[in-house]
Amino acid sequence: MIAVIGGGIIGLSIARSLRARGAEVTVYDPEPDGTGGAWHVAAGMLAPGRESAFEHPRLESLLEASLALWPEFAAGLGDVGYDTTGTLGVALTADDHVEAAREWRHQKLQPLTGSQVRDREPALSPRIRAGVHAPHEVQADPRRVVAALRRALAGRIVARRITDLGEVAADTVVVAAGCGTAALTGLPIRPVKGQVLRLRGEPGLLRHVIDGSADGRHVYLVPRADGEIVVGATQEERGDSAATAGGVHDLLRAALDLVPGLAEHTLTEITVGHRPGTPDNGPLLGRLDARTVVAAGHHRNGILLAPITARLVADLVLTGSDDPFLDDFAPGRNGCA
Ligand code: GLY
């Protein structure tokens, strides 16, 4: 019997992989039908280049390997809003362009002029100075993904808050409890607050994910087919759950600077979540002891990394696999013990 602690996107994806390979699995989560996880706030950008820069040296490879698994992962879950239109990176001012160009060069993306990006996405502001097209950086809807995973695991998810791993009757315990993993294991995982907005209007204003800077304010806009646009996100080294005037103002100001037509949209949600950060902001994946495996600390990339985390952890638990990624992201690595 295998217990998975945490019913967020990581825990559920692992449990589904274990089940698919014939294992007996129970997932423990205090609110198995709730909306308390980081997945509920997340926009669902599947964007290795955008979210990996200059952190753990192997993070980009891990993100790319997981992106390659997404088509099969999504297909196995039904309609989860997996959309391959791609991403436009955009810079509003000359200063934004200098800053963004560093990342775009690192990602080897072909520069576009302002009018070239507007040809692809006419709702963008005529003030936009430059951009890039990243066709491989796509999106899925995390809320639909979790709903599909919950359906796939019906009857296997128990409503219980685990405060001590000794309480759980299981041969193997996989701790995938996001920020809650710190209290259960002592591992250095910290909450990194993110405020995210949801706007709603006529479908079709945007087709691409927009990832941009406007006067030094970074924002991403993730359009769904039904007219919702997710606007994210602040990144704050704190653990409170307050939506702030400054946070909402910065996101809306940058969003409207890049896409003026959003002014007519309705603001339907303000949510606050906590990314589980680690000292090098790479996830912690692997064995803590003979009984305990950890899969946590996915920071900005929990949605993108769900498929590879599920595969690596299922292999480790069921076959003892020593995939090189498990060395790179071992929980005991430098600074992460
Ligand atoms: N992956 C987007 C974010 O963490 O804001």
Side-chain angles (χ1 to χ4, degrees):
M1 164 65 101
I2 302 167
V4 176
I5 315 300
I9 196 165
I10 296 294
L12 294 175
S13 299
I14 293 168
R16 176 171 165 271
S17 281
L18 289 166
R19 283 272 295 155
R21 292 166 62 172
E24 275 300 306
V25 187
T26 303
V27 178
Y28 293 92
D29 190 274
E31 290 179 48
D33 302 317
T35 56
W39 58 268
H40 186 72
V41 177
M45 292 162 74
L46 307 176
R50 245 135 271 287
E51 299 287 284
S52 69
F54 319 121
E55 295 181 320
H56 185 296
R58 293 278 293 149
L59 183 56
E60 201 164 335
S61 303
L62 187 72
L63 297 174
E64 276 163 7
S66 200
L67 184 66
L69 299 179
W70 253 94
E72 190 189 336
F73 182 72
L77 293 173
D79 182 1
V80 292
Y82 181 65
D83 178 328
T84 57
T85 308
T87 295
L88 291 173
V90 297
L92 187 71
T93 67
D95 285 350
D96 294 325
H97 186 195
V98 170
E99 184 68 25
R102 237 175 101 231
E103 265 190 46
W104 295 342
R105 272 196 301 276
H106 171 76
Q107 294 163 42
K108 300 186 173 50
L109 295 169
Q110 195 64 34
L112 300 174
T113 64
S115 68
Q116 285 170 328
V117 279
R118 276 195 309 284
D119 286 346
R120 291 166 191 260
E121 199 64 90
L124 287 169
S125 165
R127 293 170 54 217
I128 283 174
R129 193 171 180 100
V132 285
H133 183 212
H136 58 289
E137 300 204 324
V138 299
Q139 62 143 315
D141 182 342
R143 294 180 182 182
R144 290 208 217 175
V145 174
V146 166
L149 289 167
R150 284 174 172 174
R151 282 194 297 275
L153 290 160
R156 300 275 154 190
I157 311 177
V158 171
R160 187 165 148 203
R161 181 180 300 282
I162 303 298
T163 53
D164 182 330
L165 299 181
E167 295 167 35
V168 184
D171 307 319
T172 300
V173 179
V174 179
V175 187
C179 291
T181 302
L184 287 168
T185 61
L187 287 167
I189 296 179
R190 69 188 195 285
V192 181
K193 176 178 171 182
Q195 303 184 49
V196 174
L197 315 177
R198 279 169 166 80
L199 310 180
R200 189 169 283 279
E202 281 299 309
L205 179 72
L206 294 175
R207 289 189 317 111
H208 297 81
V209 173
I210 306 297
D211 184 77
S213 297
D215 279 319
R217 296 182 180 85
H218 179 243
V219 71
Y220 51 79
L221 309 170
V222 181
R224 310 271 194 240
D226 65 358
E228 181 173 84
I229 297 184
V230 186
V231 180
T234 66
Q235 178 161 321
E236 305 162 64
E237 289 289 339
R238 47 194 301 160
D240 68 270
S241 295
T244 63
V248 173
H249 168 268
D250 282 354
L251 293 173
L252 283 180
R253 178 155 179 197
L256 269 65
D257 278 349
L258 296 179
V259 183
L262 286 175
E264 302 305 321
H265 276 44
T266 307
L267 174 58
T268 53
E269 273 188 48
I270 304 175
T271 48
V272 178
H274 298 96
R275 309 170 181 93
T278 64
D280 59 17
N281 288 332
L284 308 179
L285 306 173
R287 276 202 183 279
L288 290 185
D289 57 43
R291 179 175 178 257
T292 316
V293 169
V294 69
H298 292 71
H299 195 232
R300 294 182 68 95
N301 294 296
I303 310 303
L304 173 51
L305 288 175
I308 194 131
T309 301
R311 176 176 286 188
L312 291 170
V313 172
D315 283 348
L316 175 65
V317 168
L318 298 177
T319 70
S321 141
D322 56 355
D323 188 293
F325 278 134
L326 294 175
D327 291 333
D328 298 331
F329 294 96
R333 68 182 180 267
N334 196 17
C336 293

